[in-house]
Amino acid sequence: MSRIALVTGGSRGIGAAISKALQEQGCTVVATYAGNDEAAAKFTEETGIKTYKWNVGDYAESKAGIEKVEAEVGPIDIVVANAGITRDAPFHKMTPEQWQQVIDTNLTGVFNTVHPIWPGMRERKFGRVIVISSVNGQKGQFAQVNYAATKAGDIGIVRSLAQEGARAGITANAVCPGYIATEMVMAVPEKVRESIIAGIPAGRLGEPEEIARCVAFLASDDAGFINGSTISANGAQFFG
Ligand code: CAA
């Protein structure tokens, strides 16, 4: 049976690799994006994966977007809450706006994405919820009080959803990527990035596909007894 999968932030970075991996696994994939029309159009052209634009931080927009996807493509079986941003600053310099933007997108965005899909999963007695957390939610990170709070929050979300969904055939799991070669990590100042890589026993950044493979496995029918778990893929940087 071809499952329908929605990947937020699914046209760039780790999200794009996840969209492609799920497509390769036989899913019908839909990717959302927030602003980069050009990247989304290019992604659709290259992969045939439909993209939809909305702000995951806004509940009404998310709900309307999900209703549109379900009307046009079909009921969503697999949801990957991947959309995320950074607004890094040492705590003494972090502004309330930097705090709020990251909370809205990375944490409330997970609620806004999963909540409208959840009742349908319960009715159909099947669902896969995968939230992309981070090594920095497990260990904390200098200049990321906001981001680390959201990524630690993701783990609480999936552990709670797992308990609520288990009897309805729904699993909820988190994947915690380490530092992956994406635009987000490349935006870190080079010297800081070099020192981070020096602290990764693997001696390198991860590849987006190395995260996508974890997600594809959790999304598969075979992973039905894995529920409330966290898969870390970080090159031995941290054992969470
Ligand atoms: N540990 C300890 N000290 C650190 C540090 C660290 N990781 N990073 C920076 N510092 C120190 C600097 O050495 C500097 O110290 P001095 O003042 O003694 O020289 C001080 O902190 C920086 O102070 P600044 O006032 O210069 O800081 P700034 O306002 O310019 O901010 C920064 C710079 C935003 C912190 C920048 O260094 C940065 O972006 N750091 C990277 C943060 C990071 O790792 N983000 C992860 C992004 S990738 C991601 O989030 C994906 C994922 O899930 C893994």
Side-chain angles (χ1 to χ4, degrees):
M1 186 201 312
S2 173
R3 302 276 187 202
I4 297 178
L6 178 96
V7 183
T8 65
S11 63
R12 291 196 300 139
I14 292 175
I18 293 170
S19 297
K20 289 188 217 166
L22 291 174
Q23 186 185 45
E24 275 163 28
Q25 196 159 284
C27 296
T28 301
V29 181
V30 165
T32 80
Y33 69 104
N36 194 332
D37 295 315
E38 204 181 314
K42 189 160 175 266
F43 178 75
T44 301
E45 200 182 299
E46 282 171 8
T47 61
I49 293 172
K50 270 179 110 170
T51 53
Y52 289 78
K53 183 178 182 177
W54 71 74
N55 171 12
V56 297
D58 183 296
Y59 187 79
E61 261 190 54
S62 293
K63 189 164 185 291
I66 286 160
E67 282 168 2
K68 189 164 186 249
V69 169
E70 294 205 316
E72 291 180 4
V73 184
I76 296 164
D77 303 301
I78 298 162
V79 56
V80 185
N82 164 76
I85 59 169
T86 53
R87 295 289 182 268
D88 294 353
F91 189 55
H92 64 281
K93 290 187 184 170
M94 188 174 284
T95 64
E97 290 73 25
Q98 288 174 319
W99 167 261
Q100 200 59 49
Q101 285 170 2
V102 173
I103 296 292
D104 288 348
T105 302
N106 297 15
L107 189 63
T108 309
V110 176
F111 177 87
N112 295 346
T113 300
V114 180
H115 191 257
I117 296 172
W118 188 255
M121 289 182 165
R122 277 165 51 89
E123 273 168 31
R124 294 186 299 276
K125 301 267 177 278
F126 180 87
R128 294 280 182 270
V129 176
I130 297 132
V131 182
I132 306 305
S133 175
S134 166
V135 64
N136 291 346
Q138 297 172 299
K139 71 167 188 58
Q141 171 60 32
F142 190 101
Q144 286 202 310
V145 164
N146 49 3
Y147 184 88
T150 64
K151 296 298 177 179
D154 288 339
I155 295 170
I157 289 174
V158 299
R159 287 179 179 169
S160 304
L161 284 180
Q163 294 176 50
E164 293 196 24
R167 289 201 181 186
I170 307 171
T171 66
N173 294 287
V175 174
C176 292
Y179 281 75
I180 309 300
T182 61
E183 283 172 37
M184 185 184 273
V185 169
M186 293 310 167
V188 171
E190 198 179 345
K191 275 212 164 124
V192 180
R193 198 169 61 243
E194 278 168 10
S195 77
I196 289 169
I197 295 171
I200 303 173
R204 64 171 176 92
L205 297 174
E207 294 300 327
E209 292 72 22
E210 292 178 300
I211 303 306
R213 285 194 283 274
C214 301
V215 175
F217 174 61
L218 290 172
S220 70
D221 284 19
D222 287 341
F225 206 55
I226 303 175
N227 204 356
S229 295
T230 299
I231 295 186
S232 299
N234 60 36
Q237 187 187 3
F238 182 80
F239 303 108

